[in-house]
Amino acid sequence: MTEQTGVSAQDIVERVWLSIAERRLRPGVQLKEGQLAAIFDVSRARVRQALAALERDGLVTIIPNRGAFVCQPSVEEARDVFFVRRAVERCIVDRLCKSISKANVTRLRTHVAKERTANAQNITTDIIKLSGGFHLLLAEVASSDFLFATMRDLISRSSLITAVYRNTNRFNCGPDEHADIVEAIARGDPETATKLMEHHLEHVETELDLSEIRDQPHDLKSALA
């Protein structure tokens, strides 16, 4: 089979992730290799690479002899993820307040500026990516491979949980709150920065309706079209 030029495994991963975040691709949907290969005009081998990456990110479950399915996080898992996030992000913020460089403060401010632009222009794709990306960038500039890897997993799981349980039409967790956190870090004020982060994550969690999943899975082709 001749593959469509430029469609990589990462491209497929991002399309699936975005479809989940935009609530077009629902938990429980089976991601059939043949159907994905046809949709993206790529080989099954490339699809398998993408599915393996999605499984590592906690967005897909691969069941032997059955196939790959979008994960269905439970209410208990959702609460656990946000509980762990609060602990990890407190650690990250505290570390940054003690050691962040001016260059990295600039990186964070630049990121927040991009979030504001995406919000002003209502670019859904950028809003979703930049919102989670802010928290991942905090972990990156903290210069800890462990914290970065932990946050990458938590952000992926949070994106799925938010897609499933979000009770509003907002796709992001707010550049204004992000900006306040950055300025507290820049001042080297761990007490304020930690309180702001805790409030921020509580705000995100309160926008979730942690009850049973109400929506039925959508058709794969229409979700990714």
Side-chain angles (χ1 to χ4, degrees), residues 21-38:
E22 290 183 335
R23 309 181 84 178
R24 291 183 285 111
L25 190 57
R26 306 299 293 157
V29 171
Q30 184 174 7
L31 303 175
K32 298 179 181 179
E33 284 185 12
Q35 196 171 3
L36 287 171

Side-chain angles (χ1 to χ4, degrees), residues 48-60 62 152-153 156-157:
R48 284 193 288 271
Q49 290 176 348
L51 293 176
L54 287 163
E55 184 181 39
R56 288 194 298 271
D57 287 344
L59 297 179
V60 165
I62 298 178
R152 187 174 186 275
D153 180 59
S156 293
R157 293 178 187 276

Side-chain angles (χ1 to χ4, degrees), residues 2-225:
T2 301
E3 295 188 334
Q4 179 179 320
T5 302
V7 179
S8 66
Q10 185 58 36
D11 291 331
I12 298 171
V13 168
E14 291 187 2
R15 179 80 70 83
V16 171
W17 181 86
L18 183 61
S19 295
I20 291 171
E22 290 183 335
R23 309 181 84 178
R24 291 183 285 111
L25 190 57
R26 306 299 293 157
V29 171
Q30 184 174 7
L31 303 175
K32 298 179 181 179
E33 284 185 12
Q35 196 171 3
L36 287 171
I39 290 170
F40 293 104
D41 192 17
V42 297
S43 68
R44 284 177 178 250
R46 185 159 299 180
V47 168
R48 284 193 288 271
Q49 290 176 348
L51 293 176
L54 287 163
E55 184 181 39
R56 288 194 298 271
D57 287 344
L59 297 179
V60 165
T61 298
I62 298 178
I63 303 174
N65 302 318
R66 287 191 58 198
F69 299 82
V70 178
C71 288
Q72 300 189 66
S74 66
V75 169
E76 183 177 353
E77 180 182 344
R79 289 177 174 143
D80 286 346
V81 166
F82 276 92
F83 177 82
V84 174
R85 273 194 68 174
R86 283 193 289 273
V88 173
E89 299 212 50
R90 280 198 300 268
C91 177
I92 290 171
V93 164
D94 184 69
R95 175 177 293 197
L96 290 177
C97 284
K98 296 174 182 176
S99 62
I100 194 167
S101 66
K102 291 182 179 180
N104 280 330
V105 169
T106 298
R107 288 182 66 191
L108 292 172
R109 286 171 174 160
T110 299
H111 187 98
V112 172
K114 290 178 180 178
E115 287 188 74
R116 293 191 191 283
T117 298
N119 274 266
Q121 298 177 359
N122 197 29
I123 306 173
T124 300
T125 303
D126 289 349
I127 289 172
I128 294 171
K129 289 182 178 180
L130 290 167
S131 180
F134 171 78
H135 296 270
L136 200 56
L137 181 58
L138 287 176
E140 180 183 336
V141 299
S143 300
S144 167
D145 291 341
F146 173 74
L147 289 175
F148 180 81
T150 301
M151 277 306 303
R152 187 174 186 275
D153 180 59
L154 288 170
I155 292 298
S156 293
R157 293 178 187 276
S158 297
S159 297
L160 179 60
I161 289 165
T162 302
V164 175
Y165 293 107
R166 189 178 67 248
N167 200 29
T168 73
N169 290 322
R170 291 183 60 194
F171 291 109
N172 65 315
C173 53
D176 291 340
E177 293 181 7
H178 287 174
D180 290 340
I181 293 168
V182 171
E183 295 313 310
I185 290 172
R187 294 194 304 271
D189 183 352
E191 182 177 355
T192 300
T194 299
K195 287 181 179 178
L196 287 170
M197 179 59 80
E198 289 178 348
H199 172 75
H200 176 56
L201 293 176
E202 286 173 3
H203 182 196
V204 174
E205 191 172 359
T206 57
E207 291 188 342
L208 305 180
D209 179 10
L210 295 179
S211 56
E212 63 179 310
I213 299 174
R214 296 176 297 276
D215 297 328
Q216 296 298 316
H218 291 173
D219 173 69
L220 177 59
K221 186 175 181 179
S222 62
L224 292 171

